[in-house]
Amino acid sequence: MATALADIPDHVPSELVRDVDIFNVNAIDPDIHIGWKKLQDASPSLIYTPRNGGHWIPMRAHVIERVFQDADVFINGGEWVPPNPKDMLPLIPIMSDGALHRAYRSFLMPYVVGKPLLAAIERARGLAIDLIEGFRADGACDFAVDFAQHLPIEVFLSLVDLPSEDRPYLASLAEVVRMPDEAERMVAFQKMYEYVAGYVDKRTKNPGNDLISTIANGSVLGRPMTREEIVGECTQVLIGGLDTVASMMGFIAAHLAVNVPLRRRLVAEPRLIERRVDEIIRRFGVAGPSRQAVADIEIDGITVKAGDTLFLATALHGLDESRWNNSLEIDLDRSSKGTDFQTFGSGPHRCPGAALARSEIILFMEEWLKRIPDYSLDPEKPMVAASGNVTGVLSLPLKWEV
Ligand code: HEM
């Protein structure tokens, strides 16, 4: 459903206005990344859309980088796209800035590298093998529902030291969180909050060596974290790593289903998966965080005023031809490094889960291509994807010979 149109502010020249709904990029092209690219190819470096409260969209790689990196002018703790619902609890740490943000973030960092990362990936690898072996003989699966969403949940359960038995419950909520109905989505979010809150209370009293215990007993700016902050931060770790990872896997699986020479090369030379994963991640930006300007600033001769909001479609960065020749192609001989692209953002909010996500994507490709090297899209049941703050793959029916 199209959103209402906001008034165009006086400082926005009419030639920069485009009617773009971030929740309906499929209207430009059913392939959402191609939709973003078509818009990019036909746009100046910044456009303004009256949808979703009215906001800017930086269209070019250099503008996206500048906004990510100038945290003095572009803050995370202001208004987002779409406008924040009334009484919404801020997501932590993503909707905070400055010293408070750094303090919140410091709790996460030890858990997304080193031993906790390796332990989480080992657990997720075991699950990936079990899931694939569970449906391999069927010759078909819904990749999004039967496979991809389960891996990030298992990773989260490992970081917070909770049993795999909780995964089906969280997976049922994750499915609802990806549905278009906002009321249903909010109920599922609330249930995730409640799930996390139950463990927060237990670990506050009896801490262990896990992420929830660390956050629950943490201090920020010389005071203990409030319960609301603790639950908010633990829930964001769950949500932040869920749709992003699952959708990225979905886009990769769909791409490999139809780009047979690329898939065959990865099957024949599996070492390329780890070596070239950054080029694959570059191609599929899925996250779309927001910023609010707190000062007037000029970018490429265009004035963004204090109070304006911006939507950072990370997909656009990886598709900008001024950075990547033939950007729609995954070229395993191209050298793309994690710092060259913005799929994980940059600046103070750069995704803390980037290394973890990267390892999850490697393990999915390694274990899948080893067991199901030849597969295709199901022509009877097309893939369902939706654009938004995270571009999600809701359903991806795949088939193979058994
Ligand atoms: C392919 C997978 C992923 C993608 C594409 C992705 C993308 C991003 C991006 C672009 C940001 C920056 C947001 C901003 O600048 O406002 C971000 C932040 C964040 N991500 Fe990820 N992410 C992924 C996986 C994960 C995982 C696995 C976790 C869990 C550990 C995670 C947790 C977070 C958190 C907590 C933040 C907020 C950081 C802050 O505000 O300082 N993400 N992510």
Side-chain angles (χ1 to χ4, degrees):
M1 198 178 71
T3 54
L5 296 173
D7 292 337
I8 304 293
D10 292 342
H11 65 279
V12 176
S14 57
E15 67 270 19
L16 300 182
V17 177
R18 303 282 188 284
D19 184 358
V20 179
D21 184 348
I22 60 157
F23 294 101
N24 196 18
V25 178
N26 319 45
I28 307 172
D29 192 287
D31 179 325
I32 293 167
H33 288 90
I34 291 181
W36 276 121
K37 176 137 181 16
K38 282 185 178 167
L39 184 67
Q40 181 178 55
D41 289 345
S43 298
S45 34
L46 272 155
I47 61 170
Y48 192 93
T49 171
R51 300 280 169 192
N52 297 298
H55 61 91
W56 294 100
I57 309 179
M59 299 304 293
R60 304 268 159 212
H62 69 280
V63 189
I64 294 170
E65 281 166 12
R66 183 162 167 191
V67 175
F68 265 129
Q69 283 156 29
D70 189 348
D72 292 332
V73 172
F74 300 106
I75 63 161
N76 277 50
E79 196 65 53
W80 272 52
V81 178
N84 306 336
K86 253 178 110 209
D87 307 324
M88 174 194 170
L89 293 175
L91 287 171
I92 292 174
I94 206 166
M95 289 181 163
S96 62
D97 296 286
L100 185 59
H101 167 251
R102 284 192 292 281
Y104 287 147
R105 204 177 144 102
S106 67
F107 304 132
L108 303 178
M109 299 322 285
Y111 290 92
V112 288
V113 291
K115 275 193 192 155
L117 180 150
L118 293 175
I121 294 301
E122 201 175 308
R123 228 170 111 167
R125 188 181 294 275
L127 173 67
I129 296 169
D130 288 350
L131 291 172
I132 300 169
E133 292 302 342
F135 53 59
R136 179 150 71 148
D138 302 340
C141 78
D142 186 325
F143 181 88
V145 177
D146 301 330
F147 183 72
Q149 67 172 358
H150 296 278
L151 303 190
I153 295 175
E154 195 70 18
V155 163
F156 171 80
L157 290 171
S158 175
L159 300 182
V160 298
D161 194 19
L162 288 173
S164 303
E165 286 76 62
D166 287 10
R167 185 169 43 78
Y169 175 65
L170 288 176
S172 70
L173 298 181
E175 251 181 87
V176 183
V177 162
R178 288 192 274 120
M179 293 301 156
D181 186 276
E182 181 161 357
E184 280 183 50
R185 260 202 330 261
M186 287 303 136
V187 172
F189 270 126
Q190 188 55 37
K191 286 189 180 157
M192 282 192 181
Y193 263 80
E194 282 161 19
Y195 167 86
V196 170
Y199 287 110
V200 162
D201 293 339
K202 284 189 194 135
R203 302 270 168 97
T204 308
K205 286 191 206 109
N206 294 308
N209 291 319
D210 64 281
L211 181 56
I212 293 184
S213 299
T214 300
I215 297 175
N217 296 284
S219 290
V220 285
L221 310 180
R223 60 158 178 88
M225 291 274 280
T226 66
R227 184 173 182 273
E228 226 165 55
E229 287 173 317
I230 300 165
V231 178
E233 182 157 5
C234 295
T235 311
Q236 205 213 313
V237 177
L238 169 61
I239 295 171
L242 191 65
D243 258 10
T244 47
V245 172
S247 297
M248 171 86 65
M249 288 180 186
F251 284 116
I252 295 171
H255 191 88
L256 295 181
V258 293
N259 289 276
V260 179
L262 175 67
R263 189 179 75 228
R264 296 243 160 98
R265 194 164 165 208
L266 291 172
V267 170
E269 298 175 69
R271 278 189 311 178
L272 284 178
I273 294 174
E274 182 162 6
R275 287 196 189 152
R276 293 295 181 230
V277 69
D278 288 336
E279 163 64 1
I280 300 172
I281 292 173
R282 184 273 305 162
R283 169 66 175 76
F284 297 110
V286 291
S290 303
R291 294 293 187 270
Q292 186 167 34
V294 290
D296 295 358
I297 190 161
E298 205 185 288
I299 303 175
D300 291 357
I302 298 166
T303 303
V304 173
K305 283 207 172 260
D308 288 356
T309 50
L310 302 93
F311 178 79
L312 294 168
T314 55
L316 289 169
H317 190 282
L319 297 176
D320 189 339
E321 292 285 334
S322 72
R323 290 295 170 89
W324 323 93
N325 278 335
N326 219 352
S327 62
L328 290 173
E329 191 195 337
I330 291 180
D331 175 358
L332 295 178
D333 300 315
R334 174 176 6 227
S335 102
S336 306
K337 286 193 267 4
T339 43
D340 295 345
F341 55 79
Q342 301 286 311
T343 307
F344 295 117
S346 59
H349 291 269
R350 182 176 194 273
C351 180
L356 199 49
R358 194 175 175 277
S359 302
E360 286 182 67
I361 289 159
I362 294 170
L363 90 78
F364 132 61
M365 283 193 280
E366 285 176 347
E367 302 306 334
W368 183 281
L369 293 177
K370 213 185 286 174
R371 291 173 174 77
I372 309 180
D374 276 314
Y375 65 94
S376 58
L377 302 178
D378 184 340
E380 318 261 294
K381 297 183 219 150
M383 166 179 181
V384 184
S387 60
N389 297 91
V390 174
T391 291
V393 176
L394 309 182
S395 172
L396 176 59
L398 297 179
K399 287 173 42 159
W400 54 90
E401 299 286 327
V402 284

